[in-house]
Amino acid sequence: MKYIDLFAGAGGLSEGFSRAGFEAVAHVEIDYHACNTLKTRQAWYYLKNKGLRHLYDEYLRSGKSPEELYALVPPEITNSVIHAEISEKTTPGIFQLIDQKLGPDERVDLIVGGPPCQTFSVAGRARLGRQAMEDDPRSRLYIQYAGFLAHYQPRMFVFENVLGLQSFRQRNQLDHIRDTFREAGYDMAVHKWNARDFGVLQSRERLIIIGWRHDQHQELGYPDLQPDYKHNFRVWDLLRDLPPLRPGEKDNRRYKSAPTPYLQRFGLRDENQILTWHESRAHRPVDLEIYAKAIQVWDREARQLRYPDDLDAHQISHKNVTGFKDRFKVVAGEKPFSQTVVAHIHKDGHYYIHPDAGQCRSLSVREAARLQSFPDNYYFEGPRGSAYKQIGNAVPPLMAERIARRVKAALQGKLKGQFLPSEPAASKQLQLDYSLAD
């Protein structure tokens, strides 16, 4: 089955659909470094399937340029990544590129993706103001998404976004989206899901909109995504095999220990994996003081540090001392899930403090990627800040894989009677979290 990934980012959603056996016709993404990450991942799949994984491993060890890796695979593999903005002006050209990739008798079965979520984020509205966010042209990118549906007429689509979409423009945004998709020929349903229910050791609530073509209403619907497995893993199961780091250090020489049962069960690491991006950022001395205090408060009292209540006068630098009292937060190793990983992690690590007092730093790039359930063989191209941003913006691959497998079963006619209501009452009354976790 063939799909198109719009607003693809670093490919978290695509990773799930690739694992489920879908074939990508195109990934469309505006960020240059994210495009290279997508190309690198496509090269990894090609080389692995051809029994040439050692060439990919050599790339990771050698420090060669991405172009040298891409030269090892047929050009159509990396050309599936289209570096372009999606807008009214650019869409016709993108259609032309994708149409050239499709054979005369080939069709697109599915379109996936979610427009940038910053405009719908409750935290974004709190920082920049509601009117500024509602005037942002990114808030209307769903119209371009509908254009792709109308052009390619896939049987289904998957649209992911933050909970704030539910309250955007006085809760009318979802109605606008529903009407726009209906005009394009699609019915849809929306449900809230949490990534922690799919094996991800992170609490990450998102809206997953799934739609189906009008003429498919008797065969298709919103698949029940609820997983049927339970586990008792903790965040430490993601961290304990990695070598310790001090602020500003990196250590990709070797793992400290064998992969934990969690890493093995959910496919994040195997014995032959090469460690990359285990690199931490440097911190100001005053921030390190706060980090140490935050870890101490957590270890002694099992609570997060309150800003500025728990700090000394010289440690208080923000004018706003009434909002975001949890701006410094420990990733608690003893808990079954962490706080939500968001793109803001590329600006500072205050919200993602490593739980080990002996390391006293924010999470490394690889640790953040693991919280998002990216496997260790997933390499992020670009500088460190870009890697953090790509990770924070992504859909967790474990969550994406569950969605992909259920959507595939629906398309194959294997889910008779296993569809959720199109208009669940709960989706009208979502309880929004107005903290940074959004």
Side-chain angles (χ1 to χ4, degrees):
M1 295 184 180
K2 298 183 183 299
Y3 74 99
I4 296 171
D5 187 2
L6 304 177
F7 314 101
L13 196 55
S14 268
E15 178 70 6
F17 281 87
S18 293
R19 293 179 190 177
F22 285 83
E23 179 185 343
V25 177
H27 309 82
V28 187
E29 171 55 36
I30 189 173
D31 183 86
Y32 172 77
H33 297 303
C35 282
N36 275 350
T37 296
L38 288 163
K39 291 179 181 179
T40 295
R41 193 59 178 171
Q42 294 306 299
W44 179 85
Y45 269 110
Y46 176 85
L47 294 172
K48 177 178 74 75
N49 293 336
K50 292 294 185 180
L52 300 172
R53 176 178 162 173
H54 65 281
L55 296 179
Y56 180 80
D57 292 346
E58 289 174 8
Y59 167 69
L60 296 183
R61 292 191 182 99
S62 67
K64 293 181 179 179
S65 69
E67 288 70 25
E68 291 177 276
L69 172 67
Y70 307 153
L72 301 176
V73 304
E76 60 266 22
I77 301 298
T78 52
N79 287 345
S80 68
V81 179
I82 299 173
H83 179 211
E85 178 186 17
I86 296 177
S87 68
E88 185 176 352
K89 292 182 178 180
T90 61
T91 296
I94 296 172
F95 286 164
Q96 185 176 11
L97 289 173
I98 296 176
D99 292 345
Q100 291 171 356
K101 300 176 188 300
L102 289 169
D105 298 321
E106 290 182 314
R107 68 179 185 186
V108 175
D109 299 283
L110 182 75
I111 288 178
V112 306
C117 65
Q118 290 84 354
T119 53
F120 304 130
S121 164
V122 174
R125 277 175 266 164
R127 286 194 300 269
L128 301 178
R130 175 180 291 274
Q131 194 60 49
M133 299 302 277
E134 292 187 358
D135 292 340
D136 191 320
R138 292 177 298 177
S139 68
R140 295 179 289 278
L141 284 173
Y142 65 89
I143 298 173
Q144 305 305 321
Y145 194 111
F148 280 82
L149 294 178
H151 185 83
Y152 290 103
Q153 290 289 298
R155 293 178 65 198
M156 294 184 76
F157 72 84
V158 177
F159 183 109
E160 179 267 354
N161 224 284
V162 296
L163 298 191
L165 176 62
Q166 183 75 18
S167 63
F168 195 76
R169 290 201 176 99
Q170 288 74 50
R171 298 180 178 270
N172 292 326
Q173 190 74 359
L174 272 177
D175 292 333
H176 294 319
I177 292 174
R178 183 179 286 105
D179 291 343
T180 301
F181 288 168
R182 186 177 290 123
E183 290 179 8
Y186 290 82
D187 296 316
M188 65 171 245
V190 54
H191 287 265
K192 178 180 70 173
W193 299 96
N194 196 319
R196 73 189 192 197
D197 296 325
F198 299 88
V200 183
L201 299 190
Q202 175 195 167
S203 180
R204 187 185 190 88
E205 290 186 311
R206 289 295 185 265
L207 294 182
I208 303 297
I209 299 173
I210 295 180
W212 50 95
R213 215 167 55 213
H214 288 330
D215 63 357
Q216 303 283 303
H217 71 279
Q218 292 184 336
E219 292 83 21
L220 297 175
Y222 195 113
D224 187 353
L225 305 180
Q226 192 64 48
D228 54 5
Y229 58 77
K230 303 292 183 182
H231 65 78
N232 295 311
F233 295 113
R234 295 292 183 266
V235 173
W236 272 123
D237 294 307
L238 278 174
L239 305 176
R240 67 165 56 101
D241 69 316
L242 294 169
L245 297 177
R246 296 293 296 168
E249 288 184 346
K250 63 179 179 180
D251 188 348
N252 295 316
R253 293 171 296 177
R254 64 182 65 87
Y255 292 93
K256 185 177 72 174
S257 59
T260 64
Y262 171 81
L263 297 172
Q264 292 177 312
R265 174 174 175 179
F266 290 99
L268 271 67
R269 181 195 156 194
D270 61 40
E271 291 286 355
N272 300 317
Q273 216 80 287
I274 297 174
L275 180 58
T276 63
W277 273 123
H278 189 41
E279 177 178 329
S280 67
R281 53 162 52 95
H283 301 291
R284 300 183 306 162
V286 66
D287 289 333
L288 292 178
E289 291 178 21
I290 298 174
Y291 288 10
K293 186 169 290 189
I295 299 170
Q296 184 181 69
V297 167
W298 177 259
D299 289 343
R300 289 183 177 181
E301 304 176 37
R303 69 172 177 85
Q304 296 290 353
L305 180 142
R306 291 188 294 267
Y307 187 96
D309 309 6
D310 294 317
L311 299 181
D312 299 329
H314 77 279
Q315 297 170 334
I316 301 170
S317 58
H318 296 273
K319 294 181 180 179
N320 181 358
V321 295
T322 58
F324 299 137
K325 286 186 173 292
D326 63 346
R327 65 176 74 241
F328 291 90
K329 196 165 187 176
V330 176
V331 176
E334 303 86 352
K335 294 186 68 173
F337 49 82
S338 76
Q339 59 268 40
T340 306
V341 178
V342 297
H344 184 84
I345 192 174
H346 85 280
K347 294 185 177 180
D348 62 60
H350 301 341
Y351 205 65
Y352 308 97
I353 302 171
H354 194 284
D356 180 7
Q359 300 187 56
C360 192
R361 57 173 175 82
S362 60
L363 295 181
S364 72
V365 176
R366 182 53 57 193
E367 289 161 342
R370 283 184 171 189
L371 281 178
Q372 281 279 60
S373 76
F374 281 100
D376 283 7
N377 56 32
Y378 209 107
Y379 189 76
F380 301 91
E381 300 288 358
R384 184 180 63 207
S386 176
Y388 276 124
K389 187 175 183 179
Q390 292 174 53
I391 292 165
N393 278 329
V395 177
L398 283 178
M399 184 181 189
E401 183 176 4
R402 177 64 179 182
I403 297 170
R405 293 193 182 281
R406 297 298 283 174
V407 166
K408 183 178 182 180
L411 290 169
Q412 293 174 333
K414 297 178 180 179
L415 292 184
K416 299 296 184 182
Q418 298 183 49
F419 295 121
L420 297 177
S422 294
E423 296 291 345
S427 73
K428 295 289 187 180
Q429 300 174 346
L430 295 179
Q431 297 300 310
L432 298 178
D433 179 6
Y434 281 80
S435 73
L436 274 176
D438 187 51

